[in-house]
Amino acid sequence: MAIPPEKLKEIKSKLEKLRALCEKMSENYRILEQNAVHPVVQAFAESARKNEEQHKVVVDGLLKRYSEEK
């Protein structure tokens, strides 16, 4: 399926913003994980950080896919 160039540019831009947000959230959860005193909060932060890292992998795959699109 061909995507018009202007839409492709918009998709890439939004994916790049999403990737940056995923990285920031992952870092924030890492900090929370390190600083949390309660084990439940530590476990939550670890799980949330890993979830954000998985999101980043998906977004990276989409960026790669749309970068190859012509």
Side-chain angles (χ1 to χ4, degrees):
M1 174 172 105
I3 299 172
E6 63 278 356
K7 284 292 181 188
L8 190 58
K9 218 175 181 182
E10 182 182 342
I11 290 169
K12 286 181 195 176
S13 173
K14 289 185 187 229
L15 285 171
E16 287 167 357
K17 288 177 185 176
L18 180 57
R19 185 180 192 282
L21 287 172
C22 288
E23 287 176 350
K24 184 172 181 163
M25 289 301 297
S26 181
E27 177 63 15
N28 288 339
Y29 284 127
R30 185 191 63 74
I31 292 167
L32 177 60
E33 185 180 355
Q34 289 176 341
N35 295 326
V37 176
H38 197 283
V40 172
V41 176
Q42 287 175 334
F44 165 78
E46 177 186 16
S47 178
R49 177 183 51 80
K50 288 179 180 178
N51 190 283
E52 289 300 328
E53 289 169 357
Q54 290 173 343
H55 291 163
K56 184 178 161 286
V57 169
V58 171
V59 171
D60 285 344
L62 289 170
L63 274 168
K64 182 178 180 204
R65 176 182 171 189
Y66 289 117
S67 292
E68 294 170 353
E69 227 14 81
K70 302 230 175 171

